[in-house]
Amino acid sequence: MPQRKSNSLAQNRRDTSLAASLFGKKEKDGPSSPQPQAAASVPTRLFNIPAQSIKPGGLRVVLGFHLIGLQNTPDQGSWKANQASDTVLDMVFRDNSAKFSITLGVEGISVDRYGTPSLPYLLQESVILHSVLDEISSIANGGDIEAKDRLLQLDESADAIEEARSTLPARKA
């Protein structure tokens, strides 16, 4: 029984790494934090969402909490959320075949894939990214917040979120 308690504590420490880094604690890579097989490879751009205005700190926190909530989708331990820098959020799949990174830049939000993805990764990546796109849409368009006060203002000329959805292999349920 004591062994289970120890494993549970270790799991809780790993699960809170993104939450801790959102509030200033930087996680150091070590033997307990596996990297995707091709972490240093050239990324594949999945999509880009141009924006008029981004408040990166607040947007990073909101998207970070959203990613934390998706770590156990569809099963416990399927994904690991990590804050790579002040403007980059990573999600690593349990088989470590690949990861995707959300980068909050001055001109918009970009999502890149690193590694050689497995078939289960590709299917689950689409599910997660559809959820992220829903969250981005909600942040940019939802609520009674004046446009100038929003964390994200999208370019009005394009339907960037729907264009981003069209690049994903699985369609939104």
Side-chain angles (χ1 to χ4, degrees), residues 13-70:
R13 285 186 192 122
R14 283 192 302 272
D15 288 346
T16 60
S17 65
L18 177 61
S21 65
L22 286 172
F23 297 106
K25 179 182 175 254
K26 298 293 182 189
E27 182 179 352
K28 294 182 181 177
D29 289 335
S32 65
S33 58
Q35 296 296 317
Q37 293 171 354
S41 69
V42 176
T44 301
R45 175 68 39 102
L46 299 177
F47 56 82
N48 186 50
I49 301 174
Q52 289 179 351
S53 168
I54 291 182
K55 295 180 181 174
L59 187 57
R60 180 194 72 227
V61 170
V62 171
L63 288 177
F65 282 133
H66 185 72
L67 293 176
I68 288 171
L70 296 173

Side-chain angles (χ1 to χ4, degrees), residues 4-5 8 15 24 45 55 57 71 123 133 141 149:
R4 288 189 126 196
K5 187 175 183 180
S8 176
D15 288 346
R45 175 68 39 102
K55 295 180 181 174
Q71 288 185 119
L123 295 172
L133 289 170
N141 303 317
D149 295 330

Side-chain angles (χ1 to χ4, degrees), residues 41-47 99-100 111-115 117 125:
S41 69
V42 176
T44 301
R45 175 68 39 102
L46 299 177
F47 56 82
K99 71 175 182 177
F100 68 85
V111 177
D112 299 310
R113 179 188 306 133
Y114 293 82
E125 177 191 67

Side-chain angles (χ1 to χ4, degrees), residues 67-88:
L67 293 176
I68 288 171
L70 296 173
Q71 288 185 119
N72 294 324
T73 303
D75 303 316
Q76 185 173 0
S78 291
W79 294 92
K80 181 180 181 212
N82 185 39
Q83 180 180 333
S85 73
D86 288 343
T87 58
V88 178

Side-chain angles (χ1 to χ4, degrees), residues 31 33 107 134 173:
S33 58
E107 301 200 4
D134 289 343

